């Protein structure tokens, strides 16, 4: 018997636990301090009424013999996949229902998809980025190469023809930097992937935050992407599903590598390993894509984006460099006075009682940067910003 010792190579997931500990220690010492948390990327507004109504009806259906549902299709009910298909048609992306796989949030699919690829592949991951990509590949024992996302390339790195990669992660809008690739830049990635016979794993978890219509919100808006990309999209941030759990993965039929059809392989893999997302949750998810549901979730997204605007204009006023906040719920700022990320964290917590996320937790290029989120409530966001504006840097 041999253990997969690659798991021992995982770095302790200390970022949010360290933040939590520091905040708890501070609260103990200063019980009267009202700490405002603009750190963790979890939503704060409840599910919209269309989702709730639809889920309540689904619960009633489950209570009657005639409408009760047992196991559903492992890749999702047709009513939800049709709604997602229509959502993509609005982006001028035509998908077949069989190309859409409903999941229980994208984190697990992003990791499990790696099962389709041999261990001996080179993985390219931007730095800084959502840490789950690195962890999933460390556990698989894959070789990881990092591509630098820096102030110089506006946190939107492009491929280096001299660097060979087989599996490429792209997160746009990016967590944590808020940077979003345009069509031309994504086309460069698609061309690179096709010429290197590589696959792009495109994480579109924050696509609903893109308000600039000139920017792509799906990689499949790019010519040729169906030949080289898989897209992951989550309802977590779009519609407050972080606790309800639903998302979807799109694998085009055209995606063939080494003579293997990845769509068929994933379908077979799900049949072996997954029994689908609950009917009630899928009914709730389908309500998001109705006209009334879209209006409600747009209002929620606009609320968060207004928070982002409030943070962004304060940083502008203070002459602090930042990216994001326009087409993303994240604001990525450069720590004033060349402070290191954790030093700035301590300073903000001590002097403004505001908790954010140190950029260094997202990769080495995140050192000296800091992430604030727009997912807080309005009153707290305004108060946090006012306190930050009163600080001396
Ligand atoms: N991808 C990115 C970039 C994220 O930031 C997150 C969550 O924060 C996820 C994926 C996970 O989403 P889900 O809740 O659908 O698992």
């Amino acid at each position: 018997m041999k253990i997969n010792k690659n798991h021992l190579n995982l770095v302790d997931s200390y970022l949010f636990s360290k933040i939590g500990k520091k905040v708890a220690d501070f609260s103990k010492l200063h019980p009267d301090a009202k700490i405002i948390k603009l750190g963790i990327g979890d939503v704060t507004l409840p599910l919209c009424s269309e989702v709730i109504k639809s889920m309540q009806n689904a619960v009633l259906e489950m209570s009657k013999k005639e409408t009760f549902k047992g196991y559903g299709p492992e890749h999702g009910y047709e009513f939800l996949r049709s709604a997602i298909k229509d959502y993509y048609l609005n982006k001028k992306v035509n998908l077949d229902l069989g190309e859409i796989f409903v999941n229980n949030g994208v984190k697990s699919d992003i990791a499990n998809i790696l099962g389709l690829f041999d261990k001996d592949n080179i993985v390219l991951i931007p730095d800084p980025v959502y840490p789950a990509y690195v962890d999933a590949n460390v556990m698989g024992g894959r070789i990881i190469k990092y591509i630098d996302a820096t102030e110089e390339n506006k946190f939107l790195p492009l491929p280096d023809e001299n660097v060979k990669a087989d599996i490429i992660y792209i997160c746009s809008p990016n967590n944590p930097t808020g940077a979003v690739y345009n069509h031309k830049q994504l086309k460069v990635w698609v061309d690179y992937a096709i010429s290197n016979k590589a696959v792009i794993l495109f994480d579109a978890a924050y696509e609903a935050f893109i308000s600039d219509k000139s920017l792509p919100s799906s990689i499949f808006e790019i010519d040729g992407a169906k030949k080289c990309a898989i897209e992951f999209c989550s309802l977590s941030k779009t519609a407050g599903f972080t606790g309800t759990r639903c998302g979807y993965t799109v694998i085009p039929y055209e995606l063939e590598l080494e003579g293997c059809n990845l769509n068929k392989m994933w379908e077979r893999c799900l049949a072996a390993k997954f029994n689908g997302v609950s009917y009630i949750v899928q009914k709730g998810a389908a309500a998001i894509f109705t006209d009334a549901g879209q209006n409600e979730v747009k209002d929620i997204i606009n609320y968060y984006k207004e928070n982002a605007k409030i943070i962004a204009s304060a940083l502008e006023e203070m002459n602090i460099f930042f990216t994001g906040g326009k087409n993303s719920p994240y604001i990525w700022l450069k720590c004033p006075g060349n402070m290191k990320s954790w030093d700035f964290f301590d300073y903000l917590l001590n002097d403004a009682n505001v908790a954010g996320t140190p950029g260094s937790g997202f990769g080495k290029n995140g050192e000296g940067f800091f992430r604030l989120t727009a997912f807080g409530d309005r009153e707290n966001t305004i108060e946090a910003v006012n306190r930050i504006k009163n600080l001396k840097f």
Side-chain angles (χ1 to χ4, degrees):
M1 192 282 279
K2 284 188 181 153
I3 291 287
N4 176 0
K5 297 230 174 59
N6 293 314
H7 284 246
L8 306 181
N9 297 329
L10 285 171
V11 176
D12 275 348
S13 147
Y14 69 95
L15 179 64
F16 290 107
S17 53
K18 186 169 168 185
I19 292 173
K21 187 173 178 323
K22 276 183 177 265
V23 171
D25 290 349
F26 184 84
S27 294
K28 230 181 254 163
L29 280 174
H30 308 274
D32 296 330
K34 182 187 166 217
I35 298 170
I36 300 176
K37 293 179 186 166
L38 296 182
I40 295 177
D42 200 356
V43 294
T44 50
L45 292 177
L47 298 174
C48 67
S49 67
E50 289 299 313
V51 167
I52 295 296
K53 263 194 285 176
S54 184
M55 286 172 80
Q56 282 171 333
N57 285 336
V59 170
L60 280 179
E61 285 183 70
M62 293 300 257
S63 72
K64 297 185 195 117
K65 193 162 192 297
E66 306 75 56
T67 47
F68 167 77
K69 303 275 182 301
Y71 286 124
E74 50 270 349
H75 45 284
Y77 281 100
E78 195 170 321
F79 64 78
L80 178 53
R81 289 186 294 133
S82 294
I84 295 167
K85 178 183 159 67
D86 290 347
Y87 184 67
Y88 271 85
L89 268 180
N90 273 337
K91 306 179 190 211
K92 304 206 169 32
V93 173
N94 195 359
L95 298 176
D96 191 86
L97 289 188
E99 295 178 309
I100 301 163
F101 298 91
V102 174
N103 58 39
N104 53 9
V106 288
K107 194 177 194 179
S108 32
D109 267 16
I110 286 173
N112 292 336
I113 202 85
L114 293 167
L116 300 184
F117 309 107
D118 191 88
K119 177 181 158 300
D120 289 330
N121 279 305
I122 296 170
V123 185
L124 196 61
I125 302 184
D127 174 344
V129 87
Y130 178 53
Y133 311 153
V134 173
D135 285 352
N137 283 286
V138 167
M139 288 185 278
R142 291 193 173 77
I143 299 169
I144 301 175
K145 287 186 184 170
Y146 293 95
I147 179 157
D148 291 330
T150 59
E151 211 178 318
E152 287 67 44
N153 58 29
K154 298 193 164 51
F155 300 99
L156 293 168
L158 289 172
D160 176 345
E161 288 301 336
N162 300 315
V163 177
K164 167 95 188 83
D166 305 303
I167 300 172
I168 301 155
Y169 282 87
I170 298 179
C171 179
S172 178
N174 185 276
N175 176 11
T177 68
V180 187
Y181 281 105
N182 64 29
H183 284 81
K184 214 167 140 198
Q185 292 164 324
L186 279 187
K187 177 73 178 142
V188 177
W189 275 113
V190 165
D191 289 346
Y192 169 88
I194 290 174
S195 68
N196 283 279
K197 297 190 171 45
V199 65
I200 294 175
L201 302 181
F202 189 79
D203 186 345
Y206 298 96
E207 58 85 31
F209 286 81
I210 297 178
S211 38
D212 179 345
K213 295 281 172 249
S214 74
L215 294 170
S217 62
S218 163
I219 188 137
F220 300 122
E221 291 177 44
I222 312 302
D223 265 358
K226 283 189 174 176
K227 289 187 170 41
C228 66
I230 294 176
E231 180 158 296
F232 303 91
C233 199
S234 170
L235 299 176
S236 284
K237 311 299 162 79
T238 303
F241 267 53
T242 49
T244 307
R245 309 304 300 148
C246 196
Y248 45 93
T249 296
V250 178
I251 309 185
Y253 294 143
E254 284 175 53
L255 184 56
E256 300 241 348
L257 291 159
E258 273 203 281
C260 300
N261 186 287
L262 270 69
N263 178 291
K264 290 284 151 286
M265 284 169 71
W266 187 241
E267 192 181 25
R268 184 65 189 86
C269 173
L270 288 186
K273 293 188 180 179
F274 190 51
N275 268 334
V277 176
S278 110
Y279 175 72
I280 299 165
V281 168
Q282 291 194 59
K283 272 289 178 183
I288 296 167
F289 297 97
T290 60
D291 288 345
Q294 281 292 294
N295 285 340
E296 282 196 291
V297 295
K298 275 184 188 138
D299 283 348
I300 293 173
I301 288 172
N302 284 339
Y303 176 93
Y304 292 136
K305 286 175 81 164
E306 186 58 32
N307 284 349
K309 221 188 251 172
I310 290 166
I311 302 171
S313 43
L315 296 175
E316 264 160 19
E317 240 176 76
M318 296 166 79
N319 269 327
I320 294 177
F321 173 85
F322 70 95
T323 60
K326 284 203 180 75
N327 297 292
S328 135
Y330 295 122
I331 284 142
W332 181 245
L333 62 104
K334 195 169 184 173
C335 303
N338 283 326
M339 255 186 261
K340 291 192 144 199
S341 300
W342 277 109
D343 294 340
F344 186 63
F345 175 91
D346 290 335
Y347 179 57
L348 219 53
L349 181 61
N350 282 306
D351 289 42
N353 303 159
V354 172
T357 311
S360 53
F362 299 94
K364 75 167 172 42
N365 290 323
E367 182 56 276
F369 285 86
F370 203 75
R371 191 191 78 174
L372 291 175
T373 92
F375 288 127
D377 70 53
R378 178 68 42 79
E379 213 181 299
N380 280 344
T381 304
I382 293 173
E383 191 177 332
V385 157
N386 286 339
R387 290 186 200 166
I388 295 171
K389 281 205 276 194
N390 284 332
L391 294 176
K392 298 266 167 305
F393 296 115

